[in-house]
Each structure stands twice: as structure tokens, then as C-alpha cells.
Amino acid sequence: MDKTAAVVVIGDEILSGRTEDRNSAFLSRELRGLGVRLRHIAVIPDDIDEIASTLKQLSDKYDYVFTSGGIGPTHDDVTMAGVAKGFGVEVMKDPDMERIIREKFETSSTEAALKMAEIPEGAELIEVSELRLPLIVFRNIFILPGIPEYLKIKFEAIKERFRESPFHVRTLHISEMESNIAHILQEAERVFQDVKIGSYPKIGKDAARVKVTMESKEKEQADKTLEYIKRRLDPSVIIGVE
Amino acid sequence: MDKTAAVVVIGDEILSGRTEDRNSAFLSRELRGLGVRLRHIAVIPDDIDEIASTLKQLSDKYDYVFTSGGIGPTHDDVTMAGVAKGFGVEVMKDPDMERIIREKFETSSTEAALKMAEIPEGAELIEVSELRLPLIVFRNIFILPGIPEYLKIKFEAIKERFRESPFHVRTLHISEMESNIAHILQEAERVFQDVKIGSYPKIGKDAARVKVTMESKEKEQADKTLEYIKRRLDPSVIIGVE
């Protein structure tokens, strides 16, 4: 079975529309490149109970969960408390985190920064050489920062451990109305059950009115599906093949 | 109590990173402008069971749910089936939808397009003059299309029914490290319990190292919180106030 993943973006600023979420799009592209099937993205508030219930549910259901945000030193950073609550463990001051913070932060900010040493019991630390603070992992939950530049660095430090066999995607651009090709796609879906067939209508001046994608972990299956659909279309409506 | 909302984006193409989700950011900004508190965004696959369970859960928990995607004529458009399953009703061919489709679609595509007449029992239709197809509403779930241009038109046709008293936000840009002001924000949070205080560190060359936001439905409370925090900061670290 393919490995599956969920992404949980934690932050009132995203829900209120004040800040744009760039992290879930980044992680979706990365996971795809790694051959991991992302099955759920949730954006939730800085709220301990919401974090606890969302993470428990997704951690049980999928192989990996990646969180973004809520791990700084201020009162609205409650991701660690949420993780702990979701799994019925305590938040504890971790001696390794404490040592790292005392070493790497200016004396003036050590006290507040020490809040970041408080992590769920049983969490592991993974050192990331480019950053002051390590990546924290609790069970199958990888706790990433909200700042996109830092999230990227931390994710890249661990991404190879998630690599699976790649997805193969074929794409057809068609100048027909979606409803006129629906029956062909439905047949193809029945014949090639391991291939995900997607149909995406386009509007505007583009000659292609619909994009059809065929995705599989089996390259041959993706290719066969493409041939099957192409053969059933009037060649004049095929604008492009990728 | 403030009205609350959830947004559910339905589509494999978003989860796979092939297509960027613009709809949830649009809806988050719109809901904010309307004074509605968006509490959850979920992005889920074109999968009847996932749609059913996610929508049931969010519809019970929040005042409004807005979905995007999965309502076209092809095999991967399963939002209506998901809504119906979530609430234990049947998908039925709606006579009004059937009439509209027969009137407005080319004869060649009518048969496939008629799949779009199949909607959950008990759903209502709201005509949207700019578009061929009406907006479909099931209980508190507003079923919007995935194509951003159409979603926008349908949402704008109904948005005024959601309008509440507005949010008031004050923003401070500060040249201090987040950990050095954490204690001030924590005090302010205790004093002004109806005000949501957010703290967002910035990286890069900007002189402001943290942005602090104060949000409330009570204008006076937002202003008082701003004054409270300003008074406790060294004036030289305040780079900007909005």
C-alpha cells in the first residue's frame, strides 16, 4: 500500500485571511514528488482542543502527519500542548531542548525562549544543522514551524526518509466540453481501476476546455489509460498530450 | 455568539499539488469581511466516504459550511453523493435542475449534463443570474463549484445573508525578538479576554521582527489592547501601528 499523509496548518492568521498559507501547497508538491499520497489538509485555529482532536484523528488514520505553526515562545503558540492533550501525555521541559536554547539564544531572551523547551513526553529531537532549534517528532507527527523558510529547511532535512516509488502522470488537453467526454472517462475508470483519472474543466480563452489526468504508481498502467482514452476521442479535439 | 464557518475543498488535484487552491483563501477573506469566524478549512479527496464524514462533522459543529469542487458531470464529481451519504438521504434527480439543464445546455451534451440534476433529497436551489446552473444548498452546506471564477460569482450572489458585525483589528510592527515581548502579550491576553492577540515573527531584512495583531468585535477593546501593549513597550522598538 502507498504511504499516506496529512498536513495540519495551525494558525488563526490563516483562517482570518490575513496571512496566506504557503506551507500546505509546498508540502503537497514535496509529498507528491516523494511518492507519498497526501489525503487530508486541515487548517485549524491556535486552540489546544482543536489541535488535540484533529491530530489524534489524522495520526490514527494516516502514516505521517506534518504540522505547521504554533511552536514559538508566545501565548498563542499552543501546538505542543495540543499534541500532548491529543495523546494523553504531559508537556515536559526537555533537558536537551533546554541546553540547546541556553546555548543558542541571547541571554536577554533565554527565559521566554525556554517555553520552547516544553515538549510532549516521548517526543524525539532531530537536529537540523542550518537552524538553532531541532525538529520535534511525536510518534508519526512531524512538528514544523509556521515560517515558510524554516518549514522548508526542516522538511528538507528529513524528506528522504519518506521516499516511495514515484507517481506517473499523463495529461490530455481536450477542446471538448467535459460533459461530452464524461462517458469515455467513466469507461476508462472501470477498466483501469488502479489509475486515478481526473477531469478538470477550464474556462476562458484557452482552446483546451478540459484537462484530463491519469495517475498511477505503475507507469505502464498510466500509459495504457492514456492510449485507451485517446483512441476513443476524435483526434481533432486533442490539443496536447503530456 | 459570532457565527462560525468551515470551508471544505474537495479535489485530488489540490492534494496532489498539481493545482493550487485559491478558493479557501478567497472565502477566508470574504468571511472575515462579513464578520463571520472561519474555524476550519479541510482539503479532502474526491471520495464519497471522506466527503460524507467530513461534511457531517463540520456541519454539526459550525453555523455554515462552504464546499468547493466535485459538482461537474464526470465520474470524479462525487460531492452530491458525499453530502447525501453524510446525512443518510438519497441522491434524486431534481425536476427543476433537469428542466434548467435541458433548457441551457447544448443538445449534444444534455445526457451527461443531466448527472448534475442528481442532488441530495431536501436540497434547495438558489438561482444565480450570471450562471447557467443554480447554487445548491443542503441544510447549512453551501455547495460551490471548484472553478474559482464560478465560485466567486455564486458566493457573491448570496454573501449578504451571512453579514455580521465587523471585526476590528489593530496591528503593531515591532523591532524586538518575539521572545522578548512574550510576557507583555501574555499579560494583555489575560486582561483583554475578548481580544484575540496574535504574534507573528518575521525573518529577512525587514526592520520589524514581529507583527502583533489584536482582533475583536468590540472596537474599543481592540483600541484599549493596542494602548496597553504600546505603553509596555520601549517606544523605540515600535516600527509601525495600523
Side-chain angles (χ1 to χ4, degrees):
Chain A
M1 275 294 283
D2 296 348
K3 294 287 186 187
T4 57
V7 166
V8 180
V9 175
I10 297 160
D12 290 342
E13 74 281 18
I14 311 288
L15 291 168
S16 72
R18 288 195 306 263
T19 301
E20 201 192 339
D21 163 36
R22 288 153 51 195
N23 292 333
S24 64
F26 167 77
L27 290 170
S28 66
R29 288 188 303 268
E30 287 287 319
L31 290 167
R32 174 180 183 65
L34 292 165
V36 175
R37 206 172 279 286
L38 177 60
R39 294 279 297 171
H40 195 111
I41 299 169
V43 185
I44 59 174
D46 301 306
D47 176 292
I48 293 174
D49 291 322
E50 284 288 332
I51 297 168
S53 64
T54 303
L55 289 182
K56 179 66 171 73
Q57 194 179 341
L58 296 174
S59 162
D60 287 350
K61 200 163 169 185
Y62 302 112
D63 295 305
Y64 313 119
V65 178
F66 300 92
T67 73
S68 137
I71 61 172
T74 53
H75 66 284
D76 57 342
D77 290 308
V78 295
T79 297
M80 296 299 171
V83 172
K85 185 163 186 179
F87 293 84
V89 303
E90 296 295 313
V91 166
M92 312 266 281
K93 188 167 277 185
D94 182 87
D96 290 325
M97 279 295 278
E98 181 169 354
R99 181 183 44 75
I100 293 165
I101 290 167
R102 290 198 186 277
E103 272 170 30
K104 302 204 177 157
F105 280 72
E106 301 160 22
T107 318
S108 62
S109 42
T110 302
E111 281 314 306
L114 279 176
K115 173 172 179 284
M116 295 187 284
E118 292 171 12
I119 64 176
E121 214 179 335
E124 300 159 61
L125 311 185
I126 299 175
E127 215 178 307
V128 176
S129 56
E130 297 95 321
L131 297 176
R132 289 189 294 188
L133 292 177
L135 170 60
I136 293 164
V137 184
F138 181 83
R139 302 192 186 190
N140 62 346
I141 304 174
F142 297 81
I143 302 171
L144 299 169
I147 296 181
E149 292 79 0
Y150 294 160
L151 176 130
K152 193 163 181 276
I153 293 172
K154 284 195 170 173
F155 185 77
E156 280 172 357
I158 53 166
K159 66 186 262 189
E160 287 310 322
R161 68 169 70 187
F162 307 116
R163 191 173 293 281
E164 301 280 317
S165 62
F167 294 111
H168 300 279
V169 186
R170 301 293 172 268
T171 305
L172 266 173
H173 299 274
I174 299 170
S175 65
E176 263 293 8
M177 290 264 304
E178 203 183 21
S179 27
N180 292 345
I181 60 162
H183 63 288
I184 299 173
L185 304 184
Q186 185 141 24
E187 279 163 31
E189 172 94 349
R190 273 195 217 109
V191 176
F192 300 97
Q193 303 210 342
D194 293 343
V195 180
K196 266 192 184 292
I197 301 171
S199 172
Y200 307 104
K202 294 181 183 184
I203 62 170
K205 288 181 186 144
D206 196 342
R209 296 169 79 178
V210 56
K211 178 172 90 171
V212 174
T213 59
M214 295 136 271
E215 180 191 278
S216 176
K217 288 231 161 176
E218 307 296 327
K219 184 170 177 299
E220 206 183 42
Q221 290 295 99
D223 287 332
K224 277 188 177 166
T225 312
L226 175 65
E227 285 313 310
Y228 181 97
I229 294 174
K230 271 175 67 183
R231 268 203 313 278
R232 277 159 185 78
L233 289 169
D234 177 344
S236 71
V237 306
I238 300 175
I239 304 280
V241 182
E242 286 164 39
Chain B
M1 272 294 282
D2 296 348
K3 294 286 185 186
T4 58
V7 166
V8 179
V9 175
I10 297 161
D12 290 342
E13 74 280 19
I14 310 288
L15 290 168
S16 72
R18 288 195 307 264
T19 301
E20 200 192 339
D21 162 36
R22 288 152 52 196
N23 293 331
S24 64
F26 168 77
L27 290 170
S28 66
R29 289 188 303 267
E30 286 287 320
L31 291 166
R32 173 180 182 65
L34 292 165
V36 175
R37 207 172 277 287
L38 176 60
R39 295 278 297 172
H40 196 110
I41 299 169
V43 185
I44 59 174
D46 301 307
D47 177 293
I48 294 174
D49 291 323
E50 284 288 332
I51 297 168
S53 65
T54 304
L55 289 182
K56 180 67 173 72
Q57 193 179 341
L58 296 174
S59 163
D60 288 349
K61 200 164 169 186
Y62 302 111
D63 294 305
Y64 313 119
V65 178
F66 300 92
T67 73
S68 138
I71 61 171
T74 54
H75 65 284
D76 57 343
D77 290 307
V78 295
T79 297
M80 295 300 171
V83 172
K85 185 163 187 179
F87 293 85
V89 303
E90 295 296 312
V91 166
M92 312 267 280
K93 187 167 279 183
D94 182 86
D96 289 326
M97 278 296 277
E98 182 168 355
R99 182 183 45 74
I100 293 166
I101 290 168
R102 290 197 187 277
E103 272 170 31
K104 302 204 177 157
F105 279 72
E106 302 161 22
T107 318
S108 64
S109 42
T110 303
E111 280 315 306
L114 279 176
K115 174 173 179 281
M116 295 187 283
E118 293 171 12
I119 64 176
E121 214 179 335
E124 299 159 63
L125 310 186
I126 298 176
E127 216 178 306
V128 177
S129 56
E130 297 93 322
L131 296 176
R132 289 190 294 189
L133 292 177
L135 168 62
I136 294 164
V137 184
F138 181 83
R139 301 191 187 191
N140 61 346
I141 303 174
F142 297 82
I143 301 171
L144 299 169
I147 296 182
E149 292 79 358
Y150 293 161
L151 176 130
K152 193 163 179 279
I153 292 171
K154 284 195 170 174
F155 185 78
E156 279 172 359
I158 53 165
K159 66 187 260 190
E160 287 308 322
R161 67 170 71 186
F162 307 116
R163 191 173 294 280
E164 301 279 317
S165 62
F167 293 111
H168 299 279
V169 185
R170 300 294 172 266
T171 306
L172 265 173
H173 299 275
I174 298 169
S175 65
E176 261 294 7
M177 290 264 303
E178 203 184 21
S179 28
N180 292 346
I181 60 162
H183 63 288
I184 299 173
L185 304 184
Q186 185 141 25
E187 280 164 29
E189 171 93 349
R190 273 196 217 110
V191 176
F192 300 97
Q193 303 211 341
D194 294 342
V195 180
K196 267 192 184 293
I197 302 171
S199 172
Y200 307 105
K202 295 180 181 184
I203 62 170
K205 287 180 188 146
D206 195 342
R209 295 169 81 178
V210 56
K211 177 171 90 171
V212 174
T213 59
M214 295 136 271
E215 180 191 278
S216 177
K217 288 230 160 177
E218 308 295 328
K219 184 171 177 299
E220 205 183 42
Q221 290 296 98
D223 287 332
K224 276 188 178 165
T225 312
L226 175 65
E227 285 314 309
Y228 181 97
I229 294 174
K230 271 174 68 183
R231 269 203 313 276
R232 277 158 185 78
L233 289 168
D234 178 342
S236 71
V237 306
I238 300 174
I239 304 280
V241 182
E242 287 165 39

